[in-house]
Amino acid sequence: MKTSVKKIALKIGKWIGITIVSILLLMFLIPLLFPGMVSEQVKALANKSLAAELDFSKSRLSFFTHFPSLTVSLDDLSLKGSAPFANDTLLKADQVAFGINLKRLIFDNEVKIDELYVSDAFINVIVNQKGEANYNVYVAEKDQPKDTLSEGTAIRLDRIDLDNCRIRYNDRSAKILVNAYGFNYVGKGDLSEDVFDLQTDARIDSVDFYYDRVPYLEKKSLRADLITRINTNSLSFILQKNELRINQLPVEFTGEFTILRDGYNINIDAASENTTVKDLLSVLPPQYLNWLEETKIKGRSDLLFTFKGRYNAATNQQPDLGFNLKVTDGSVEYANAPVPLTDLNLDLNAMLPSLDVEKLNINLRKLDFKVGEKDHFHAFLQTKGLSEMDVKANIKGILDLKTLDAAVGLQNMELRGILRTDIEADGQYSAEKKLFPKAKGGINLQNGWLKTDYYLNPITGITFVASVQNGNGTFEDLKVAVTPASFVFEGNPVYVNATVSDFADLFYAARIKGELNVGRIYKVFKQEGLDVTGYAKADLALKGRQSYAITGQYDKLDNKGSLVLKNIKTTSELFPKAFFINEGYFTFQNEKMWFDKFKAKYGKSDFSINGYLLNTINYFLVSNGTLAGNFNLKSKLIIVDEFMALKEGENKDRKAEVEYAKEENPKMSGVVVLPRNLNVSLIANADKVEYNGLVLNNLIGKVGMNKGRLYLENTNFNIIGCTVTIDGNYKDESPMAARFDANFKAKDFSVKRAYNEIPLFHDLVTAAEKAEGIISVDYKITGDLDGNMSPIMPSLAGGGTISVRDVKVVGLKLFGGISDKTGSKEMDNPNLKDITVKTTIDNNLIRIDDFTFKVAVFRPTIKGTTSFDGLLDLRIRLGLPPGGLIGIPIVVTGTHEDPQIKVFSKTGKKIEEAIYNEKTNTLVKKEKVEKKKDEKKKKPN
């Protein structure tokens, strides 16, 4: 009996061993039997289904890459995005693997993909300001080309697995930027169904969320357990079970998200209810997490977030955003502080209808807290609107800043002083209607003291007494007084005493005195944008009314004093580099601010200026003011390229549209963006000006700037050995486009040097390639500049004359062809003298008025049309001796490189004009040779 059991056990073990060995053998053999077929079908499916460039280094078929699934793996895969991001990466991964349905592969000889694995990848999603996205790479089945090679290949996913990925979602139309690092995701469901439930387990090690370039989450960990019902017919996502944890804060959200052809519909409610204040504060930026560990925090919080409505960039529809936060019975005690902050109660509600800040509603129903037994703070604030804002506010409190600092453990700074505030306001603010809420109260800070970890010396003796009073709710009745404000820094006192009233006709009176190491004071606040050695000294007395400056009653102004700046480094949002003011000496004299001595640098460019600005005080008091003035400017070198908007530089505080343009056009320089608030004129004298490879020497003339427009008047400079006189205008339209017009005259210059060294002349006078000699030009031209600040040829329009003094043409195929056709060898390499050629330019065409010149005994007359792309439609009359009374008609068509010459013909081929869209700065239709009617009727053989 024992022998039978033993035999049976051996047989079972034998068959189990054979089965395991067979399975293992099959796992090795199947990839060897099908590799070519599987790889070819996957490639064919990709080519058929994707409208973007796909590339990978090698493919492998194996059971062991994602055991026990049979997967085809593509190593070092990269996928480009859809237009207009065809050159940008959408996906780059160490490996992308597709799980193959084993049953269909073996028995039906078909490749059915039911799993997707992506590991160590960068997923880069971009949506531009027009709402165009780079992820539209999938070609729908109805639009896919018929493919006989992979008829049996299909994707029917039921698992998506992302491992250690980085995701960047940059939606410029919605002003949203998300950066996720260490993104791990497993999604399961029958993704082949029209409607299915997707079970999701997601983990993100670190996520950043920005809205309108402002960070709302930074370096936060995220965990998610979700069930989402997906309807592929309507591209809708119904959030059924959604449990989320951001650091320690649990969040539950429900709703629906539907992708539309022109945007999306969204209806999301997210809530974190009855959680602790400490869990809520765990979503603070990472630099505060150490503070959080050392602080005793109590209290309950409720957080609600809603996002509902339709988004459509084309029609400017935006969803509504809502936010509500409540904190009850909160307290904060940092590192055994003498007294804690207690009785913290907060009730804040904010609504942003249609994401329109003009409709912003803020309702701070309550913000109350106490510090110890005596100190307390209370705030109530309601606002509705922005430009026209309804305001109701009550802020009252008394705080010992040293006690408050100890209680909450303010990071990186120490505060002292007694702060009292008592302000009430009720009414409407509207600059246009000159309304200001009825208000009374003020702020009083005595014995203030501030020290930060960024600089060793404190700011001491801080006194600030400010009051506001308005009884009638108008600008006229508003009075703001600062009496006084003062502080001492490194032994130097600074004092300000100012009163501003009657905002309908602004009256100001101010006394400012003191000297300051600007770099060091900014270092106290860790403002690294300014140079650490900057110095400022002011001694000013300012008094007057806004109307005095506007109406020219300058004798009623009483502005006087001086301002000295040295070694100041500062930036402007318009330019990529910083301006460095070596020294600036300014004096104020009623309406004028005199630049007595001003030297500055920008990159390699240098400026020395003297002159004056008008109405400077009014400009700083009124937000939409314009600075006017007259100056003399001297420079050894001005490099225009350094001012181009997309150039690299240390300035990180740029306009959003500039940053977006840099990302979308990394190889372009941009145009020069001009300030809109200047109306100044300069008598400029520059030894050298460099622009796009051109070198202009000894530039002298009048240069002006008026509300974003640059103009030149009777400006002269030397280039390629001759003097050029130019009058012109320039205005930027965006960081990537500008408009210009110019009237320039240049006398007796080398045509060969002009062709070789001046790009615009090279493009306008293409025949100059084969010419050598002296000419003059008098031309007026207008057009657009592209993202490299080069002329867009189809946009150019204008006209003028080219005066040929003495030019030898050698090797021009046009004249060579005429010589061959007519037997007139003199026409082969003609010598042109004392000729004036009039031309006009529009729609990428150059139209040549008839002109006659002498070659030996012949009198050729030429007129017609040519294009910037080399198309020809010329009429030539070759006047024969004596005196050219009898002439041979010649027609030249084709191109400059391949001219088609017909003798005794008057029938050419008209060149159809290009069509250019000035609004989008794009070529809509290229110029081409017009086909004859009989040619249109011909049918192909």
Side-chain angles (χ1 to χ4, degrees):
M1 185 71 178
K2 289 182 178 179
T3 304
S4 298
V5 172
K6 186 176 180 180
K7 286 183 178 180
I8 291 170
L10 286 171
K11 285 184 179 180
I12 291 173
K14 177 182 176 181
W15 283 109
I16 290 174
I18 291 171
T19 302
I20 292 173
V21 171
S22 299
I23 291 173
L24 290 172
L25 185 61
L26 284 172
M27 293 178 75
F28 280 103
L29 288 176
I30 288 174
L32 297 176
L33 294 172
F34 295 97
M37 184 265 288
V38 172
S39 295
E40 283 187 18
Q41 290 199 18
V42 170
K43 287 180 182 178
L45 176 64
N47 289 331
K48 183 176 74 170
S49 304
L50 297 176
E53 180 184 339
L54 176 70
D55 191 23
F56 53 89
S57 62
K58 64 179 179 179
S59 62
R60 291 177 287 113
L61 189 64
S62 173
F63 278 100
F64 301 102
T65 306
H66 294 279
F67 185 83
S69 298
L70 174 63
T71 57
V72 58
S73 303
L74 308 179
D75 293 345
D76 302 319
L77 181 139
S78 66
L79 175 65
K80 300 293 187 183
S82 55
F85 301 99
N87 295 321
D88 296 308
T89 298
L90 171 61
L91 170 65
K92 187 174 182 62
D94 287 358
Q95 186 181 87
V96 174
F98 302 94
I100 307 298
N101 186 302
L102 187 59
K103 173 180 173 294
R104 301 291 288 271
L105 177 65
I106 295 174
F107 296 105
D108 300 329
N109 200 34
E110 292 180 343
V111 177
K112 297 296 179 184
I113 296 172
D114 54 14
E115 295 176 349
L116 173 64
Y117 300 88
V118 180
S119 58
D120 297 303
F122 173 46
I123 302 169
N124 182 35
V125 178
I126 306 172
V127 183
N128 65 18
Q129 290 176 289
K130 299 177 183 177
E132 299 167 326
N134 71 332
Y135 53 74
N136 295 315
V137 296
Y138 180 72
V139 179
E141 285 191 28
K142 63 182 179 64
D143 298 322
Q144 291 178 7
K146 188 174 181 181
D147 191 347
T148 57
L149 292 175
S150 59
E151 229 169 60
T153 309
I155 300 176
R156 299 176 68 85
L157 294 176
D158 57 25
R159 179 185 177 96
I160 298 175
D161 193 323
L162 306 180
D163 179 52
N164 192 32
C165 296
R166 179 194 167 194
I167 296 179
R168 188 172 192 267
Y169 177 81
N170 190 358
D171 188 339
R172 292 157 189 164
S173 63
K175 301 179 182 178
I176 290 174
L177 173 64
V178 178
N179 266 317
Y181 300 85
F183 183 83
N184 297 276
Y185 170 94
V186 177
K188 299 178 182 178
D190 190 353
L191 279 67
S192 63
E193 296 295 326
D194 292 339
V195 180
F196 62 91
D197 289 341
L198 178 66
Q199 300 178 31
T200 298
D201 180 15
R203 185 181 80 252
I204 304 176
D205 295 339
S206 176
V207 63
D208 303 331
F209 176 84
Y210 290 75
Y211 176 74
D212 199 13
R213 305 176 77 197
V214 176
Y216 289 88
L217 290 177
E218 284 190 302
K219 297 181 181 178
K220 300 303 170 195
S221 63
L222 187 145
R223 303 290 184 272
D225 182 11
L226 318 173
I227 297 178
T228 307
R229 175 154 293 178
I230 299 176
N231 187 329
T232 59
N233 293 321
S234 60
L235 281 180
S236 65
F237 304 81
I238 300 171
L239 310 176
Q240 295 178 318
K241 174 193 174 186
N242 298 280
E243 297 175 358
L244 190 67
R245 183 173 292 274
I246 305 173
N247 278 10
Q248 303 303 317
L249 181 68
V251 180
E252 294 186 359
F253 56 96
T254 57
E256 183 175 353
F257 179 74
T258 303
I259 297 175
L260 307 174
R261 181 183 296 273
D262 53 3
Y264 56 78
N265 268 333
I266 192 167
N267 187 347
I268 300 290
D269 290 307
S272 180
E273 298 179 309
N274 199 28
T275 57
T276 68
V277 175
K278 190 158 190 172
D279 289 343
L280 176 67
L281 295 179
S282 73
V283 302
L284 287 172
Q287 59 264 36
Y288 294 100
L289 296 185
N290 288 336
W291 168 84
L292 198 62
E293 292 176 359
E294 300 176 18
T295 306
K296 294 179 182 179
I297 299 173
K298 298 179 181 179
R300 308 299 299 177
S301 70
D302 294 288
L303 177 67
L304 178 64
F305 172 87
T306 62
F307 199 27
K308 300 181 179 181
R310 178 168 179 172
Y311 170 76
N312 185 322
T315 59
N316 204 28
Q317 286 179 278
Q318 304 268 24
D320 301 331
L321 181 66
F323 174 83
N324 183 263
L325 174 63
K326 289 184 179 179
V327 174
T328 55
D329 300 324
S331 69
V332 179
E333 183 180 357
Y334 176 75
N336 299 315
V339 294
L341 183 151
T342 61
D343 298 335
L344 173 63
N345 291 282
L346 169 69
D347 188 352
L348 171 65
N349 183 71
M351 288 295 299
L352 189 61
S354 301
L355 296 179
D356 184 355
V357 293
E358 291 296 333
K359 300 177 182 178
L360 175 65
N361 291 341
I362 296 176
N363 189 356
L364 178 62
R365 298 183 183 96
K366 180 191 298 183
L367 172 58
D368 293 331
F369 63 85
K370 293 172 60 179
V371 184
E373 294 298 322
K374 297 180 180 179
D375 293 357
H376 60 87
F377 184 83
H378 163 79
F380 163 81
L381 174 67
Q382 287 182 337
T383 69
K384 184 177 181 181
L386 190 65
S387 297
E388 292 191 2
M389 181 189 296
D390 294 327
V391 179
K392 193 170 186 179
N394 186 319
I395 302 171
K396 190 171 185 177
I398 177 170
L399 295 170
D400 184 328
L401 298 182
K402 184 177 181 180
T403 306
L404 176 66
D405 185 358
V408 300
L410 293 178
Q411 298 294 288
N412 303 320
M413 70 170 59
E414 296 177 42
L415 286 176
R416 297 178 191 173
I418 304 299
L419 176 67
R420 291 179 172 84
T421 178
D422 188 356
I423 299 174
E424 292 184 14
D426 189 359
Q428 186 181 64
Y429 168 81
S430 171
E432 184 177 352
K433 296 178 181 178
K434 298 189 181 303
L435 297 176
F436 193 90
K438 294 180 180 179
K440 63 178 180 179
I443 299 173
N444 187 318
L445 174 62
Q446 297 294 325
N447 300 317
W449 191 91
L450 168 65
K451 184 180 183 300
T452 73
D453 293 347
Y454 310 120
Y455 193 69
L456 54 91
N457 293 328
I459 303 172
T460 62
I462 304 172
T463 299
F464 183 77
V465 180
S467 64
V468 59
Q469 187 173 359
N470 187 2
N472 295 325
T474 64
F475 269 25
E476 186 177 0
D477 200 46
L478 176 61
K479 182 179 180 180
V480 179
V482 179
T483 54
S486 61
F487 64 88
V488 178
F489 181 63
E490 296 192 325
N492 294 318
V494 176
Y495 174 87
V496 177
N497 194 326
T499 302
V500 183
S501 62
D502 188 2
F503 280 64
D505 181 12
L506 197 65
F507 172 80
Y508 60 89
R511 184 80 175 90
I512 304 167
K513 189 172 183 178
E515 59 182 287
L516 194 63
N517 189 315
V518 178
R520 291 181 185 176
I521 195 75
Y522 272 82
K523 195 173 181 180
V524 169
F525 301 100
K526 204 179 180 182
Q527 296 296 315
E528 297 173 351
L530 292 187
D531 190 87
V532 295
T533 60
Y535 168 85
K537 182 178 180 180
D539 187 357
L540 299 171
L542 310 172
K543 187 175 181 180
R545 279 192 179 274
Q546 184 179 351
S547 61
Y548 297 164
I550 294 174
T551 59
Q553 301 178 69
Y554 301 130
D555 59 321
K556 294 184 178 180
L557 294 172
D558 188 14
N559 299 322
K560 56 188 176 182
S562 62
L563 175 66
V564 178
L565 301 176
K566 288 185 178 181
N567 299 327
I568 300 292
K569 183 180 180 182
T570 185
T571 59
S572 165
E573 64 178 6
L574 299 177
F575 305 116
K577 294 180 180 292
F579 288 88
F580 190 88
I581 302 173
N582 302 81
E583 55 182 346
Y585 292 84
F586 311 95
T587 54
F588 290 79
Q589 191 176 60
N590 290 341
E591 80 279 12
K592 292 178 180 177
M593 175 182 177
W594 287 92
F595 286 56
D596 295 323
K597 189 177 182 182
F598 183 87
K599 292 183 179 180
K601 288 184 177 180
Y602 176 87
K604 295 179 181 179
S605 304
D606 65 90
F607 308 92
S608 178
I609 296 174
N610 62 71
Y612 64 84
L613 283 174
L614 282 169
N615 197 19
T616 315
I617 309 302
N618 185 53
Y619 166 78
F620 285 108
L621 293 173
V622 181
S623 61
N624 60 349
T626 298
L627 280 172
N630 288 282
F631 295 95
N632 292 312
L633 179 148
K634 289 186 177 182
S635 173
K636 293 179 181 178
L637 174 65
I638 298 174
I639 303 177
V640 177
D641 301 37
E642 293 183 324
F643 293 84
M644 294 178 183
L646 307 192
K647 286 285 188 177
E648 288 299 319
E650 62 269 39
N651 185 11
K652 305 302 179 185
D653 187 20
R654 305 296 308 278
K655 285 187 174 182
E657 60 177 329
V658 173
E659 295 302 324
Y660 292 156
K662 283 178 68 174
E663 290 181 19
E664 293 176 7
N665 306 277
K667 295 183 180 180
M668 289 194 169
S669 64
V671 302
V672 177
V673 179
L674 300 174
R676 301 294 192 259
N677 58 351
L678 289 180
N679 181 13
V680 298
S681 63
L682 303 165
I683 301 301
N685 188 333
D687 294 345
K688 182 186 292 186
V689 177
E690 296 182 6
Y691 162 57
N692 257 357
L694 293 176
V695 177
L696 316 180
N697 294 303
N698 301 321
L699 185 145
I700 300 174
K702 185 176 181 181
V703 180
M705 196 176 299
N706 186 3
K707 297 181 180 179
R709 180 179 67 91
L710 177 75
Y711 62 87
L712 304 173
E713 290 183 6
N714 196 30
T715 300
N716 300 308
F717 56 85
N718 295 326
I719 187 172
I720 63 167
C722 79
T723 299
V724 177
T725 301
I726 185 170
D727 296 282
N729 289 276
Y730 168 92
K731 186 177 179 64
D732 61 279
E733 298 172 340
S734 74
M736 294 296 296
R739 185 80 179 165
F740 79 96
D741 66 78
N743 186 358
F744 53 89
K745 299 177 182 178
K747 188 174 181 181
D748 294 343
F749 61 91
S750 166
V751 64
K752 186 174 184 178
R753 284 192 64 183
Y755 182 86
N756 291 332
E757 299 178 29
I758 303 176
L760 182 59
F761 186 86
H762 178 285
D763 295 331
L764 290 177
V765 190
T766 54
E769 180 185 9
K770 305 295 183 180
E772 187 169 348
I774 303 300
I775 68 172
S776 299
V777 172
D778 185 349
Y779 225 85
K780 186 174 183 179
I781 194 166
T782 183
D784 292 329
L785 301 175
D786 64 15
N788 282 322
M789 213 159 168
S790 297
I792 301 174
M793 304 310 291
S795 75
L796 299 182
T801 60
I802 300 173
S803 301
V804 180
R805 192 176 82 183
D806 188 358
V807 172
K808 179 72 173 178
V809 179
V810 179
L812 188 64
K813 292 183 179 180
L814 169 64
F815 288 133
I818 294 173
S819 175
D820 292 341
K821 290 285 186 178
T822 61
S824 307
K825 295 301 180 183
E826 296 85 349
M827 289 292 294
D828 198 0
N829 297 309
N831 194 34
L832 312 179
K833 291 186 178 182
D834 301 325
I835 303 168
T836 298
V837 182
K838 292 184 179 180
T839 66
T840 56
I841 297 172
D842 61 68
N843 300 321
N844 218 40
L845 301 182
I846 305 170
R847 307 178 194 278
I848 305 167
D849 290 357
D850 60 320
F851 67 95
T852 302
F853 57 98
K854 182 179 179 181
V855 178
V857 295
F858 300 102
R859 297 291 189 274
T861 299
I862 300 177
K863 67 177 181 178
T865 304
T866 182
S867 80
F868 289 126
D869 293 324
L871 298 179
L872 298 174
D873 181 28
L874 300 177
R875 310 293 192 277
I876 299 175
R877 180 182 182 274
L878 185 59
L880 303 176
L885 297 176
I886 300 174
I888 300 174
I890 303 172
V891 168
V892 182
T893 57
T895 66
H896 285 294
E897 291 301 317
D898 184 22
Q900 305 298 312
I901 300 169
K902 293 181 182 180
V903 182
F904 297 107
S905 175
K906 295 183 179 180
T907 305
K909 291 185 177 180
K910 183 180 178 182
I911 304 173
E912 289 185 2
E913 298 177 344
I915 299 177
Y916 177 78
N917 188 325
E918 287 190 6
K919 291 184 178 180
T920 60
N921 291 0
T922 56
L923 181 65
V924 178
K925 180 182 177 184
K926 189 176 172 61
E927 80 281 5
K928 63 180 180 179
V929 176
E930 189 178 71
K931 292 183 178 180
K932 297 179 182 178
K933 292 182 179 179
D934 56 342
E935 291 179 348
K936 293 179 182 178
K937 294 178 181 178
K938 288 181 181 179
K939 295 182 179 179
N941 296 327

